[in-house]
Amino acid sequence: MNVKVCYLLPVFTLVTLLSGCADKPVEETQDSPLHVQKLDKATLKATGSENQARALPDRIAQLDLYQAPKTLAGLQFDGEISSEHARTLRYRDADGKEQLSLTLSGLPTGWDTMQPQRAVAGYYSELRQRRVDKALSNSANALSIISERLVDLEGNPSAQAQMRWVEPNRPIQNQALLVTLIDDNFIRISNASYRQKTVWLLQQTKRVLAEFKAAQTAP
């Protein structure tokens, strides 16, 4: 099946799957539909990394205060990549076939006055747009957005998405993404698998978030 890239609609419009994607709107349940926005990049500073928010924080977040658990969802800690504005913790299973990353970053400049739900939607929108841009950079690649929602996870607004990625000479890769805002810091959990379904991957991101939060409060 030829999966086409799903384009990002203008500010605060509902996302729909366009041009060859399944004709299916963003999943709506008792949770809020995720209104995706494309940020005005002219007012943002680029960090040069596709794994960080493009607007640099005006304060240095105390990200080093977070503990890196030795295991998350049964996966072993495999090191981290740190900068002044972000920390990415990597985890993998014994054979390296299952991997995930957890990224911590502070609020970009000016976002401290936003409602938390809008900040999460905005941050998610940036991450989503980069995946779309990656797909558009090569006509042989394709991205399919299966579902995306803005939900409440234990009192914190959270964006969650299920996706599929296609590239030449490889099987379809299922992906999941979870973004939340806790204590003015974004936590992003991203995973992918050629074996597991997107629903399973999304449940794994929720388990990882719960275990990560529990590790911060452990004595």
Side-chain angles (χ1 to χ4, degrees):
M1 178 179 179
N2 185 22
V3 184
K4 300 293 185 182
V5 67
C6 301
Y7 293 90
L8 189 65
L9 297 183
V11 179
F12 286 106
T13 58
L14 287 177
V15 175
T16 56
L17 303 184
L18 304 178
S19 182
C21 293
D23 184 15
K24 174 183 176 182
V26 175
E27 181 178 350
E28 294 189 39
T29 66
Q30 61 183 359
D31 305 309
S32 301
L34 181 55
H35 296 262
V36 178
Q37 58 176 315
K38 186 172 183 179
L39 301 183
D40 181 6
K41 296 187 178 69
T43 63
L44 305 180
K45 301 177 184 177
T47 66
S49 170
E50 68 177 35
N51 292 320
Q52 298 177 15
R54 294 184 183 179
L56 296 179
D58 54 7
R59 64 177 178 83
I60 299 177
Q62 301 298 310
L63 303 178
D64 58 331
L65 299 180
Y66 288 93
Q67 301 295 316
K70 293 182 179 180
T71 63
L72 283 176
L75 304 180
Q76 299 293 320
F77 180 63
D78 192 40
E80 72 174 83
I81 300 174
S82 299
S83 69
E84 185 178 9
H85 301 292
R87 287 179 67 193
T88 296
L89 311 179
R90 299 186 180 277
Y91 292 82
R92 60 181 292 174
D93 64 359
D95 60 10
K97 293 183 178 180
E98 299 291 342
Q99 303 179 43
L100 67 83
S101 65
L102 185 152
T103 299
L104 302 158
S105 59
L107 282 170
T109 301
W111 287 31
D112 56 330
T113 59
M114 283 187 185
Q115 290 292 324
Q117 292 86 350
R118 185 180 178 189
V120 168
Y123 184 73
Y124 168 80
S125 298
E126 273 291 295
L127 301 172
R128 182 187 191 274
Q129 183 64 29
R130 289 177 211 175
R131 296 193 183 202
V132 170
D133 291 344
K134 183 179 179 181
L136 290 173
S137 68
N138 187 333
S139 60
N141 295 338
L143 177 69
S144 178
I145 311 295
I146 300 172
S147 72
E148 44 194 0
R149 292 188 299 168
L150 186 63
V151 302
D152 183 288
L153 290 180
E154 299 181 359
N156 300 112
S158 306
Q160 59 184 41
Q162 301 173 66
M163 307 178 183
R164 290 195 182 102
W165 173 256
V166 179
E167 58 184 303
N169 303 317
R170 294 199 176 190
I172 295 175
Q173 184 185 68
N174 290 324
Q175 301 178 348
L177 178 63
L178 175 65
V179 175
T180 191
L181 183 64
I182 299 176
D183 296 330
D184 289 337
N185 292 316
F186 287 114
I187 299 178
R188 180 174 92 248
I189 301 168
S190 178
N191 57 4
S193 175
Y194 293 113
R195 299 185 299 184
Q196 303 292 350
K197 295 182 179 180
T198 58
V199 173
W200 188 96
L201 292 171
L202 187 59
Q203 291 301 317
Q204 185 189 48
T205 64
K206 295 177 182 179
R207 177 182 170 187
V208 166
L209 178 62
E211 291 183 8
F212 180 77
K213 290 169 63 177
Q216 310 312 308
T217 58

